[in-house]
C-alpha cells in the first residue's frame, strides 16, 4: 500500500476503536486511541490535557444505564503535518445518539471533529482533538428519563 492508503487505513482504525470504546463505555482503553499527552477541546469538556483527564471526563459524563452509538463519517486524511511521521487533518462528521436503558432514543448530536494523529511507540494515536457542536436534538420533556 502507498502512504496515503496506509494512513487512511490507520486513521480509520483509530476512529473505529474510538467508537467502540465510547459505545461500550470502555474508557480504561483510551490509551488505544489517544497519545499520553493528548489535548482534547470540546464544548462539553472544555480543554482536557493528558490521557488521564480524558479518561476521567469520559467516565464522569456517561449517565447511569445510558447507551450511546457513535458513527464517524466523511474522514479526509491530509498528508504529513511537518514532514515527520505525524499526520494532520481528519475532519469527520460524527453523529452520536443517546439511548435510555430501555433502548429509546432521548438525545442526539452532530459534531465536526478535527484531529491530529502521530506515530507513537504504541502505534498511531490521536495527539489533538478539536470538537465542534453542529446540531442537537432532545426528546420532549415528557419523553425524557
Amino acid at each position: 500500500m502507498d502512504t496515503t492508503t496506509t494512513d487512511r487505513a490507520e486513521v480509520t482504525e483509530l476512529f473505529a476503536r474510538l467508537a467502540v470504546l465510547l459505545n461500550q463505555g470502555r474508557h480504561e482503553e483510551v490509551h488505544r486511541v489517544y497519545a499520553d499527552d493528548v489535548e482534547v477541546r470540546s464544548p462539553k469538556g472544555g480543554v482536557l490535557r493528558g490521557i488521564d483527564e480524558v479518561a476521567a471526563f469520559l467516565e464522569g459524563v456517561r449517565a447511569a444505564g445510558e447507551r450511546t452509538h457513535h458513527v464517524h463519517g466523511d474522514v479526509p486524511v491530509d498528508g504529513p503535518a511537518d514532514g515527520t511521521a505525524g499526520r494532520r487533518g481528519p475532519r469527520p462528521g460524527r453523529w452520536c445518539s443517546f439511548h435510555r436503558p430501555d433502548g429509546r432514543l432521548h438525545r442526539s448530536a452532530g459534531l465536526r471533529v478535527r484531529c491530529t494523529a502521530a506515530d507513537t511507540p504504541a502505534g498511531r494515536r490521536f495527539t489533538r482533538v478539536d470538537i465542534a457542536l453542529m446540531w442537537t436534538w432532545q426528546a420532549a420533556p415528557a419523553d425524557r428519563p
Side-chain angles (χ1 to χ4, degrees):
M1 289 193 293
D2 64 31
T3 303
T4 303
T5 304
T6 301
D7 287 343
R8 179 166 295 285
E10 289 178 2
V11 169
T12 299
E13 176 66 22
L14 273 178
F15 278 110
R17 287 196 314 251
L18 177 60
V20 168
L21 80 87
L22 292 172
N23 293 339
Q24 296 180 358
R26 293 165 37 183
H27 306 128
E28 70 280 0
E29 295 183 15
V30 295
H31 65 280
R32 296 186 64 224
V33 176
Y34 298 115
D36 289 341
D37 61 349
V38 66
E39 181 174 292
V40 177
R41 296 173 179 269
S42 77
K44 196 167 191 176
V47 179
L48 304 169
R49 290 187 175 89
I51 202 163
D52 292 336
E53 276 190 26
V54 171
F57 172 77
L58 291 174
E59 190 62 37
V61 75
R62 190 179 191 117
E66 184 175 62
R67 296 182 309 164
T68 64
H69 186 213
H70 292 74
V71 178
H72 298 99
D74 188 25
V75 182
V77 177
D78 296 339
D82 56 7
T84 66
R87 304 289 184 262
R88 169 191 343 224
R91 297 174 304 280
R94 181 188 298 171
W95 178 71
C96 310
S97 62
F98 301 84
H99 304 263
R100 295 179 183 172
D102 66 7
R104 289 189 296 161
L105 176 68
H106 71 93
R107 182 168 48 108
S108 62
L111 307 167
R112 181 61 63 189
V113 183
R114 182 164 183 94
C115 300
T116 301
D119 295 328
T120 72
R124 181 76 49 96
R125 297 293 186 265
F126 292 128
T127 57
R128 182 175 172 111
V129 180
D130 292 291
I131 303 168
L133 179 64
M134 303 307 288
W135 58 267
T136 60
W137 171 86
Q138 191 154 341
D143 295 329
R144 290 187 198 146

